[in-house]
Amino acid sequence: MSRQREKPVAELGPRQAKLEHARLEQEIAEHDKRYHQQDAPTISDADYDALKRRLLEIEARFPELATLGGVSSRVGAAPAPGFAKVRHSKPMLSLDNAFAEEDVADFLGRIRRFLNLKTTDELTIIAEPKIDGLSASLRYEHGELVRAATRGDGQEGEDVTANVKTLKYGVPHRLEGKGWPDVLEVRGEVYMTREDFLAFRAAQEELAKEREARGLSAASIRIPVNPRNAAAGSLRQLDPEVTAKRPLRFFGYSWGEVSEPFTGTLSSVREKLASWGFTLNPHVEVCHSLEDLLAYYRKISGLRASLPFDIDGVVYKVDRLDWQDRLGFISRSPRWAIAHKFPAEQAETLLENIDIQVGRTGTLTPVAKLKPVNVGGVLVSNATLHNEDEIKRKDVRIGDTVIIQRAGDVIPQVVSVVLEKRPPGAKEFQFPTKCPICGQPAEREVDAAGGEDARRRCTGGVSCPAQAMEGLRHFVSRNAFDIEGIGEKQIAAFYEWGWIREPADIFKLTKHADSLRKKEGYGETSVNNLLRAIEQRRTIGFDRFIYALGIRHVGQERARLVAIHYETPERWLEAMDAAKEREGEAWGDLNSIDKMGDVVADAIVGFCTREQSRKVIDHLLAELKEVVPPEKPVTNSAVTGKTVVFTGSLEKFTRDEAKARALSLGAKVAGSVSKKTDYVVAGPGAGSKLAEAQKLGVTVLSEDDWLKLIGG
C-alpha cells in the first residue's frame, strides 16, 4: 500500500490528496467494471467499501475534489445485451453504507445539521431489513402494469416486463383498492426465498447429473451459488416461460415517477402501497433515536438466520417526505437513507499458490489460489491480495493457512495469516518485476510528492497481449460500445486468430465472415447476427466512445463530462493537442471540468497525444458513421449551465443544501473562482473567493439575490 494511502487524511496536503483521490477513483472504477460488467469481482464488499470510505474522507476534507462526476456518481451496471433498453423517468439510485455504530450516529448528525434541526425536534426514521435481491421498477398507468425494468446503470435499465408479469408473488397486474395515481412507478427487490432457492438449486444439480449420465454436456446448466444469483439469473431469462417456472417474489419499498406526488410520511405511503396490492417487508419499525436504530439492527441481526430470505443489513430512511425532498441526493445516493451492513463472513483455508493477473492498464494483480472452502454458503477458491505491498504487510507465503472473508457475492480477500500453522521453510513471495505475459519491465510509478504507487504496471502497453485483450474486452463491454455477441471468449479467439489487434479491427470482421462460419460454434445465423450488431455500433454516443478507449482515471461519469464539454471528437482532440504543453488556455479549460485536476487531465492529454494511442483513435473514427454528442440536462431554470461558487457562512440554508439545490436546477457547482465562474454566492465572512470574484468581475450575489434568481 502506498505511503499516501497509509497516511491519515488529516495529514495529507492538497497535492497528495489530489493524487491519491485520482488513484482511488481509478481503483474503484476498475472494481465497478469487474463486478457490474464482467461478473468477475476481485475484492470483497467490505474491502470495496473501505476504498469508498477513504475516497469520501478525502473529499470531505478537500471539497473541491467532490464536485459532480466521477465514481461516486455511478450506480450499478449498464443494461445487459439481449433486452430492450428502458430510460428511467427518475434515476434508480443506490444507498451509502454504514458499518459501525459511529457511522449511524454520523448519518443522524448530518441530517440534523443539513436541516438545521434543534435538539428538541423529533427525527423519525423507518427501519427495515435490506433484501439481497435484484432491484426492479414497475410502472403502472391507470392501474395497469405496463412496464418493468431492472436498475441497470441507474439511468437506463433492461425491459423485463414479460418476465415480471410471470411472478406469482407480490406483483399485481392491476392495482387493487382505490386512490392510486394515474402514473405510479413502484420500486423494490425481486428475490427468491431460501427454501425455494435450495429446491431450485437441487433441481438444477439433478438436471446436470442427468445430462452427464446421458453423455451430454452439462455446461449449459447453471448452478446458482446463492438466492441473489438465482433471482437475477431467473429474471434475466430471454424466454419469459423460463422465468415463469422460477419461484420469484417481489417486495416493494419505494417509488419513482408519480403523477400525483405523495405527501406526508413514508409510513403512510407504505400503507397505500399495501392497499393497492403490493407485498411489503413486514419486519419494519419506526425509530426515534440512535438507540432505537441500533437496537433494531441487533434484533434483525439475531433474526437473520431464521428469516425466509437473505439480507445483508438493514436500511434507515427519514419518514417525513418533505424532509426527504429538502435533503435530496449526493450524486448517486440519497442523503435521507443509509444501509447499515452486516460484518463480513470469514473462514480458514490453505493458500496453495499466488497467480499474477495483468489488467487493461497493465496492473499486475496478485490472486491467491485457495484450497476450496465454504464461506457463508459459497464455495470459494480465489481471493484477492491487492498488490505487492499488501503481501509484504500481511507476510503472506505460499503454503500458509490464511483467514479469508467475503461480504456479498464477490471473490474474498485474504485478511491475515495463521502464523502458528506456517509450514517449515515457507519463503517470502517474490513479486515479479517483469510482466509474466510479455516479459516487459513492470514498474511502480513515483508521484511528484515522492510517494510510490501501490500498483506495479507492465510497460508494454498494447504490445502486451494481456493489456491488448483486456482493452478490447473493455471496448466491447456494456458501458462502452456494448456489442452484442462479442464477449471475453470471442475477443480471445479473434485475437488468437490474428483478426483483431485494436478496436477498429472489430469493424473489419466482415472480411473474415466466411472463415468465421467454418469455426466451431458459429453458423450462418450467429455470424449474421454478430455482423449486424457490429454495424449498429458504427453510430455511438461520444461519452461511450471516450469511456471505451480505456483512458486511466476516466470512468463513465468523467467520460460523460468530457463529452458534454467538448461535444465532438474533433474539438476534443484539437483541444488536447493544444493542451500538450500542460499550460495555457486549453490546459486550464480541461482542468475546469468537474472532477478533473492535474492527474486526470495529464492522463487524458497523454493518451490523446501519444502516437500509438492516437492512431487507435484515428483508425476507430475512420470506421464509425457518427459520434453523437450526449444529451445535456433539460431544465428551465435561470441557472442551467451556469457555474456557481458558494462562499462564506451561509445563513438561510446550509452549504450542502445550497449546493444540492443548485445542482438540481442544472447549475455546475465549483470549489474555486475562475473567469469561467458565472455567480459567486457570498455569505458573511466571505474571504479570498469573494476577493477573486471581484478581481475577475464575476457577479456576486447575496443569499437573498440567489433565492430570488432561482425562484425561492
Side-chain angles (χ1 to χ4, degrees):
M1 189 168 291
S2 67
R3 290 196 292 271
Q4 283 86 351
R5 189 76 52 82
E6 294 175 347
K7 183 181 292 187
V9 172
E11 298 178 10
L12 293 178
R15 174 68 176 170
Q16 292 173 313
K18 182 183 290 188
L19 291 170
E20 185 180 346
H21 187 270
R23 292 195 196 99
L24 284 168
E25 286 216 315
Q26 182 192 20
E27 192 169 346
I28 291 168
E30 287 293 329
H31 291 310
D32 283 343
K33 176 188 172 186
R34 294 187 187 113
Y35 183 82
H36 293 298
Q37 296 178 25
Q38 301 173 349
D39 293 325
T42 55
I43 64 171
S44 70
D45 279 357
D47 205 49
Y48 176 87
D49 290 331
L51 294 175
K52 275 289 187 70
R53 286 201 302 274
R54 177 73 175 181
L55 183 78
L56 294 174
E57 285 177 16
I58 292 175
E59 291 183 347
R61 183 160 181 258
F62 299 91
E64 65 274 13
L65 300 176
T67 52
L68 185 62
V71 299
S72 60
S73 300
R74 192 172 306 127
V75 179
F83 290 97
K85 308 297 190 289
V86 173
R87 190 76 179 176
H88 297 303
S89 55
K90 287 190 174 181
M92 291 187 70
L93 304 177
S94 62
L95 299 177
D96 276 341
N97 295 322
F99 300 93
E101 294 183 359
E102 293 80 5
D103 297 333
V104 181
D106 288 344
F107 166 67
L108 296 178
R110 288 195 301 271
I111 291 173
R112 287 190 170 276
R113 289 191 298 273
F114 190 99
L115 298 175
N116 200 23
L117 299 181
K118 301 175 183 177
T119 55
T120 54
D121 291 331
E122 185 175 74
L123 177 58
T124 303
I125 303 291
I126 302 299
E128 66 178 311
K130 185 176 181 296
I131 304 295
D132 197 10
L134 181 72
S135 296
S137 180
L138 314 184
R139 183 180 178 88
Y140 292 80
E141 295 180 0
H142 305 291
E144 297 286 344
L145 175 60
V146 297
R147 192 173 68 203
T150 64
R151 171 187 283 164
D153 62 5
Q155 301 291 333
E156 190 177 68
E158 307 142 8
D159 189 334
V160 289
T161 307
N163 300 47
V164 166
K165 285 185 174 180
T166 69
L167 270 64
K168 301 178 179 63
Y169 310 100
V171 178
H173 288 206
R174 179 168 180 80
L175 298 179
E176 302 172 6
K178 59 183 179 180
W180 28 261
D182 289 342
V183 175
L184 171 66
E185 286 184 353
V186 175
R187 293 174 172 178
E189 210 81 2
V190 174
Y191 70 101
M192 192 178 287
T193 67
R194 202 173 291 116
E195 182 179 359
D196 287 340
F197 163 71
L198 293 174
F200 171 62
R201 179 184 171 93
Q204 292 293 95
E205 290 175 336
E206 186 63 30
L207 184 58
K209 290 178 182 177
E210 289 179 4
R211 288 186 63 85
E212 290 175 347
R214 291 160 53 195
L216 302 174
S217 172
S220 61
I221 309 300
R222 299 190 65 178
I223 311 298
V225 296
N226 56 40
R228 181 184 182 278
N229 271 3
S234 298
L235 187 64
R236 286 185 168 127
Q237 292 293 319
L238 294 178
D239 183 357
E241 292 186 5
V242 176
T243 301
K245 298 175 183 177
R246 307 285 173 84
L248 298 179
R249 302 166 186 257
F250 179 79
F251 265 146
Y253 55 70
S254 67
W255 57 93
E257 182 182 1
V258 183
S259 57
E260 301 170 24
F262 294 126
T263 58
T265 64
L266 174 60
S267 303
S268 64
V269 177
R270 286 178 56 86
E271 293 176 0
K272 291 179 180 180
L273 293 177
S275 72
W276 295 335
F278 294 99
T279 301
L280 279 67
N281 198 316
H283 304 276
V284 175
E285 289 188 11
V286 178
C287 302
H288 301 283
S289 66
L290 175 62
E291 291 72 24
D292 288 350
L293 294 178
L294 298 180
Y296 175 83
Y297 176 83
R298 289 189 286 269
K299 171 186 172 182
I300 294 299
S301 181
L303 293 173
R304 184 180 183 185
S306 62
L307 292 175
F309 42 77
D310 276 2
I311 63 174
D312 57 1
V314 300
V315 176
Y316 308 132
K317 300 177 182 177
V318 171
D319 193 30
R320 279 182 53 168
L321 300 186
D322 60 336
W323 283 0
Q324 287 190 13
D325 290 339
R326 283 182 60 191
L327 287 160
F329 303 88
I330 304 176
S331 185
R332 68 177 183 89
S333 57
R335 288 187 180 86
W336 43 265
I338 198 167
H340 192 175
K341 303 292 284 291
F342 292 137
E345 297 176 271
Q346 296 187 339
E348 184 178 298
T349 190
L350 184 68
L351 191 153
E352 298 178 328
N353 204 352
I354 296 177
D355 282 354
I356 302 295
Q357 298 179 350
V358 182
R360 172 174 55 85
T361 61
T363 301
L364 273 59
T365 302
V367 177
K369 312 302 288 186
L370 307 167
K371 181 179 180 180
V373 62
N374 191 295
V375 187
V378 177
L379 194 67
V380 297
S381 56
N382 298 305
T384 180
L385 286 165
H386 304 294
N387 52 60
E388 60 184 298
D389 286 353
E390 282 291 278
I391 294 176
K392 291 178 180 177
R393 187 176 69 81
K394 294 174 180 175
D395 191 20
V396 178
R397 306 181 186 184
I398 295 173
D400 274 341
T401 297
V402 294
I403 302 295
I404 60 171
Q405 74 175 20
R406 64 176 294 273
D409 179 29
V410 295
I411 294 176
Q413 64 174 333
V414 173
V415 178
S416 60
V417 175
V418 184
L419 292 175
E420 57 269 25
K421 294 186 178 181
R422 170 166 287 168
K427 296 182 179 179
E428 294 183 13
F429 178 74
Q430 297 300 312
F431 205 91
T433 57
K434 291 186 177 181
C435 174
I437 305 299
C438 70
Q440 293 294 313
E443 301 174 351
R444 293 173 63 163
E445 297 177 357
V446 177
D447 59 45
E452 194 174 51
D453 195 329
R455 294 175 291 273
R456 188 177 291 275
R457 288 189 173 87
C458 167
T459 57
V462 294
S463 65
C464 171
Q467 288 187 65
M469 283 196 287
E470 284 296 326
L472 289 165
R473 290 178 189 133
H474 173 76
F475 180 83
V476 300
S477 64
R478 295 173 186 171
N479 291 332
F481 268 63
D482 189 19
I483 300 177
E484 188 169 350
I486 301 185
E488 184 173 342
K489 292 181 180 179
Q490 290 78 16
I491 289 293
F494 296 160
Y495 191 92
E496 181 183 350
W497 299 335
W499 293 354
I500 61 173
R501 285 293 182 268
E502 61 177 272
D505 294 337
I506 293 172
F507 295 93
K508 301 174 184 177
L509 282 173
T510 302
K511 65 183 181 182
H512 301 292
D514 291 339
S515 298
L516 185 57
R517 291 184 180 97
K518 298 174 184 178
K519 298 288 186 181
E520 183 179 356
Y522 288 92
E524 187 71 24
T525 300
S526 61
V527 172
N528 289 342
N529 288 341
L530 173 61
L531 296 179
R532 188 180 305 112
I534 292 173
E535 284 302 308
Q536 290 173 346
R537 284 311 190 182
R538 288 189 187 271
T539 297
I540 195 73
F542 188 23
D543 52 340
R544 282 180 175 265
F545 176 90
I546 295 173
Y547 175 70
L549 295 174
I551 304 171
R552 282 181 64 188
H553 309 307
V554 180
Q556 289 174 261
E557 277 303 308
R558 277 211 182 100
R560 184 181 65 83
L561 293 169
V562 171
I564 289 174
H565 190 79
Y566 292 107
E567 296 186 337
T568 69
E570 292 74 21
R571 292 180 191 172
W572 177 49
L573 295 174
E574 183 180 352
M576 296 307 95
D577 288 339
K580 190 174 181 179
E581 301 304 319
R582 274 60 169 180
E583 59 184 22
E585 185 175 348
W587 176 255
D589 188 45
L590 175 62
N591 266 280
S592 72
I593 299 174
D594 290 345
K595 283 288 185 183
M596 192 54 61
D598 290 345
V599 173
V600 182
D602 192 65
I604 295 174
V605 172
F607 184 91
C608 292
T609 58
R610 194 176 302 118
E611 181 180 1
Q612 188 178 43
S613 50
R614 187 59 167 263
K615 286 181 179 179
V616 168
I617 296 174
D618 291 341
H619 293 167
L620 177 58
L621 287 172
E623 294 295 329
L624 301 180
K625 292 180 180 178
E626 185 181 11
V627 180
V628 183
E631 293 183 11
K632 297 182 179 180
V634 178
T635 67
N636 297 317
S637 88
V639 295
T640 299
K642 304 295 185 181
T643 300
V644 184
V645 174
F646 293 95
T647 185
S649 302
L650 303 181
E651 297 177 326
K652 296 184 179 296
F653 32 67
T654 64
R655 181 75 61 85
D656 287 340
E657 188 169 3
K659 289 182 177 180
R661 182 75 185 280
L663 291 170
S664 71
L665 294 172
K668 300 176 182 178
V669 177
S672 58
V673 179
S674 72
K675 62 181 181 179
K676 292 183 178 294
T677 305
D678 295 291
Y679 301 112
V680 169
V681 181
S688 60
K689 292 179 183 178
L690 175 58
E692 185 68 16
Q694 293 169 335
K695 175 183 175 182
L696 296 174
V698 174
T699 301
V700 178
L701 303 176
S702 67
E703 292 175 79
D704 288 333
D705 293 335
W706 170 252
L707 289 172
K708 184 177 180 180
L709 178 65
I710 64 176

